Amino acid sequence: MAKKKESPAAGERLAAYYRYSGGGGQTEQSIEGQRRDCEAWAKAHGMTICREYIDRHISGKTDNRAQFQRMMEDSDKHAFDILICWKTDRLARNRYDSAIYKSRLRKNGIKIVYAAESSVDGPEGIILEGLMESLAEYYSAELSQKLRRGIRESALKCHSLGGYHALGLTSNKNHEFVIDETQAPTVRYIFQQYAAGQSSAAIVADLNAKGKRTATGGVFNKNSIMRIVTNEQYIGTYISKAHNVRVENAIPAIIDRELWDKVQAMVQYNRAGRAPHTKRANYMLSGKLFCKLCDSSMKGISGTGKHGEKHYYYACSKHTIHQCEKHNIEKSYLENLIASATADYILAPGKLEQIADRVIAVQLADQHRENPEKEMLEAELSENVRKQDNIMRAIEDGTGSARLSARLRDLEEQESILRAQLAAIDEPAAAPVYDRDQLIFMLSQFQRGPDEQDEEYKQRLIDTFVHAVYLTDEIAFVQFNITDPEKAESTTLESVMLDLLHGKPIAENPSNSGLSAGFDRVSLGGGGGS
């Protein structure tokens, strides 16, 4: 694992991600404000933003954002080293998405920093970030709930709720659905051809050759055909799944029931001939699991048994190329063991209070963080005044020239501009500060009964509290995002050792001398310990 970076290193490439949500209060100015703060941070750290990714009018609750996905793909290609955002919630307001994508960025070696919030590199900082993401998701959910109440009333009236309409349908000034007769013939043609046994590929080729376009103006593909032939709006049914509203014969129908039934029978026939879709496995420990026999990362793999059943494992990346003797370990067994050990250790009596105290220390350090834009302007002003003083001394000594006098006037004008910019700076709103009781309450939300510990809960536990896991064939050494108060070095992480053969703890906070063969080093530091 790479050594923890305290500050950007020379030559590191900085990329920026900006986003604002839809709504009347969100404008292009939102992007400019984010860009200004991010550029100020970059300048204060001697860096230049080399790439920008901007999503406009898109909620952070979804990861279906074109520029966001382009940024993630570029991170896979190692196109940049550091990513800066204005605040934590610019990346995502959904806690699960945020954890997944931040884990992917860090796995790609990308450091994440924020212009208007502290950049959490330390172990307790990671926990604080997780709590802040939880609150951002809560705020988003609360706002959505208020909006949904008003929108549901419109749905109950079978009104258009805005956004794109299905091909062949539009709405009038009263938000009532009406048929778009310029597009409706294309819809009828698709249903007729599909009912006649034409494949989606053949229909797509024909439509695109004729220059026909989808409701969004794009070319047709097989997915767009399937969305059309399974859309009940075309037989007059109003549906709003988000608001649990379904009303038959509520909007104008483009096709009749007989044609609809023929098409649905053909859809079922075509689906029956396809192989069942296999859901992709979620490897919870991805990016945090390492082999201690060869110090390589471990990755998720799968295999098919002789009876066709799927089996999932974690394997040393060098074992798969026959360069390490580490045996594979069953995925569910290891994940359940790590999640259980994390819950037992982190949620133990007294431990939550201990974590809360350390998170408070992170908050206090964050309160003294300087405004990077103000810091940059003050440095420029100081340098400007120094240069003016040097010119004044030269003029007073009689060694000045007309050229120096002109330079002095330029500096005086620059000084006026800098002072005006300093006066115009809006101090960023202070990050919320939580007291000890509030932090303990938020941390206590991780406490769940055995019947409530679903896959999402285990993923949250691992993402928030587990720093790294090191394996031999017999031992799992689990490090948490909590510094050990018993160690002299403040960067030593608290840890437990687990017996993989019997599925139980061996020791808490084991020392190097107590480690079994293969554990000759202990990881130090926060998000990127070595």
Side-chain angles (χ1 to χ4, degrees):
M1 298 176 67
K3 187 177 180 181
K4 176 185 173 182
K5 300 174 183 176
E6 299 297 339
S7 60
E12 288 187 313
R13 299 159 298 171
L14 178 64
Y17 177 72
Y18 313 124
R19 178 190 65 79
Y20 67 83
S21 303
Q26 303 289 340
T27 66
E28 184 65 25
Q29 192 62 31
S30 301
I31 296 296
E32 292 305 317
Q34 293 176 46
R35 179 184 282 124
R36 182 178 61 250
D37 288 349
C38 290
E39 287 181 344
W41 184 98
K43 191 166 185 179
H45 290 80
M47 303 188 73
T48 301
I49 295 174
C50 62
R51 291 170 179 262
E52 286 187 341
Y53 305 91
I54 305 173
D55 282 314
R56 296 173 171 87
H57 284 292
I58 302 179
S59 170
K61 291 185 294 182
T62 175
D63 62 355
N64 187 20
R65 293 172 259 153
Q67 288 293 300
F68 177 81
Q69 291 299 336
R70 178 170 161 251
M71 175 193 73
M72 295 305 304
E73 290 172 3
D74 285 350
S75 83
D76 293 338
K77 301 172 185 174
H78 306 288
F80 54 90
D81 306 298
I82 302 176
L83 176 68
I84 185 169
C85 301
W86 186 59
K87 283 190 175 183
T88 307
D89 62 4
R90 295 303 89 188
L91 276 179
R93 280 193 181 275
N94 177 292
R95 179 174 57 245
Y96 181 77
D97 285 348
S98 179
I100 291 296
Y101 284 111
K102 285 181 181 178
S103 173
R104 179 172 159 190
L105 286 166
R106 287 170 176 145
K107 185 178 179 181
N108 289 335
I110 309 298
K111 181 179 179 180
I112 308 169
V113 298
Y114 308 106
E117 290 177 346
S118 59
S119 300
V120 283
D121 288 328
E124 282 81 16
I126 294 173
I127 295 176
L128 178 59
E129 184 181 65
L131 297 178
M132 290 171 68
E133 288 167 1
S134 297
L135 289 176
E137 183 178 4
Y138 169 77
Y139 163 76
S140 181
E142 183 183 40
L143 180 62
S144 296
Q145 188 178 41
K146 292 177 181 177
L147 292 173
R148 281 166 64 89
R149 282 197 293 267
I151 296 173
R152 190 170 191 276
E153 291 301 316
S154 295
L156 290 170
K157 298 174 184 177
C158 300
H159 283 176
S160 167
L161 303 181
Y164 291 112
H165 295 105
L167 183 70
L169 290 172
T170 185
S171 58
N172 59 25
K173 63 180 181 180
N174 296 321
H175 306 291
E176 299 166 334
F177 279 98
V178 294
I179 295 176
D180 183 344
E181 292 298 346
T182 63
Q183 297 178 343
T186 301
V187 174
R188 298 187 185 104
Y189 175 80
I190 291 171
F191 273 87
Q192 290 163 358
Q193 293 299 305
Y194 199 94
Q198 285 283 3
S199 67
S200 295
I203 298 172
V204 165
D206 191 24
L207 290 172
N208 290 334
K210 293 177 179 178
K212 301 298 183 181
R213 292 294 179 261
T214 65
T216 59
V219 296
F220 282 91
N221 57 45
K222 289 189 287 186
N223 289 333
S224 53
I225 298 300
M226 289 308 301
R227 281 194 294 269
I228 289 172
V229 298
T230 57
N231 188 344
E232 290 185 85
Q233 284 185 305
Y234 293 124
I235 54 171
T237 302
Y238 179 92
I239 297 176
S240 175
K241 292 181 180 179
H243 303 92
N244 196 28
V245 175
R246 185 179 188 279
V247 183
E248 294 186 2
N249 304 315
I251 59 178
I254 294 180
I255 64 167
D256 58 41
R257 172 65 69 170
E258 182 181 359
L259 179 57
W260 169 264
D261 290 341
K262 287 181 180 178
V263 167
Q264 300 318 300
M266 186 62 69
V267 168
Q268 293 302 318
Y269 174 80
N270 290 337
R271 283 177 175 171
R274 297 176 189 163
H277 174 69
T278 303
K279 186 178 179 181
R280 186 176 180 181
N282 172 37
Y283 292 91
M284 298 182 188
L285 295 167
S286 178
K288 298 191 176 189
L289 188 62
F290 302 90
C291 169
K292 280 309 298 175
L293 299 186
C294 66
D295 286 331
S296 298
S297 62
M298 297 186 66
K299 62 182 182 180
I301 64 170
S302 64
T304 304
K306 61 182 179 180
H307 299 297
E309 68 277 13
K310 273 280 191 180
H311 299 284
Y312 302 93
Y313 305 92
Y314 285 101
C316 173
S317 55
K318 288 189 177 179
H319 176 77
T320 56
I321 55 175
H322 309 292
Q323 293 182 1
C324 179
E325 296 181 355
K326 173 78 180 72
H327 292 92
N328 298 345
I329 185 167
E330 203 271 326
K331 170 185 175 294
S332 295
Y333 172 75
L334 182 62
E335 290 174 349
N336 290 336
L337 181 63
I338 300 301
S340 176
T342 302
D344 291 345
Y345 187 83
I346 296 296
L347 307 180
K351 182 59 66 175
L352 294 186
E353 290 84 351
Q354 181 183 336
I355 296 173
D357 288 339
R358 298 185 203 171
V359 172
I360 285 173
V362 173
Q363 291 186 133
L364 291 174
D366 184 44
Q367 287 179 307
H368 297 92
R369 180 175 51 85
E370 295 294 331
N371 182 326
E373 183 181 13
K374 183 177 180 181
E375 189 177 322
M376 175 194 67
L377 290 173
E378 286 176 341
E380 289 185 9
L381 179 60
S382 177
E383 179 66 12
N384 178 285
V385 171
R386 185 188 66 79
K387 290 178 180 178
Q388 290 188 58
D389 288 343
N390 289 342
I391 293 175
M392 287 297 295
R393 279 194 291 270
I395 293 173
E396 289 170 356
D397 293 341
T399 58
S401 64
R403 192 172 178 181
L404 279 180
S405 297
R407 174 60 176 155
L408 180 61
R409 286 193 296 273
D410 289 342
L411 289 170
E412 287 173 343
E413 289 179 7
Q414 291 176 18
E415 179 187 2
S416 297
I417 294 171
L418 288 170
R419 291 192 184 279
Q421 290 176 331
L422 275 168
I425 285 180
D426 293 326
E427 291 291 338
V433 177
Y434 308 107
D435 62 32
R436 193 170 186 271
D437 290 340
Q438 290 172 321
L439 287 169
I440 292 173
F441 172 77
M442 287 190 285
L443 288 164
S444 69
Q445 302 310 298
F446 284 92
Q447 293 173 324
R448 297 273 185 93
D451 58 332
E452 299 176 305
Q453 296 184 13
D454 55 17
E455 297 300 294
E456 183 179 353
Y457 168 74
K458 295 172 187 175
Q459 184 76 68
R460 285 180 58 205
L461 267 182
I462 290 171
D463 286 341
T464 303
F465 297 109
V466 175
H467 170 66
V469 180
Y470 299 90
L471 295 186
T472 66
D473 284 334
E474 298 84 19
I475 301 294
F477 185 61
V478 186
Q479 293 181 317
F480 301 109
N481 285 317
I482 314 170
T483 48
D484 185 355
E486 303 297 326
K487 300 289 184 180
E489 308 93 340
S490 61
T491 54
T492 301
L493 300 179
E494 292 195 28
S495 51
V496 295
M497 194 188 302
L498 306 176
D499 182 346
L500 290 176
L501 302 180
H502 300 91
K504 62 181 182 179
I506 300 174
E508 292 183 2
N509 294 336
S511 65
N512 286 19
S513 61
L515 297 178
S516 61
F519 289 106
D520 55 348
R521 291 200 298 276
V522 175
S523 176
L524 304 177
S530 64

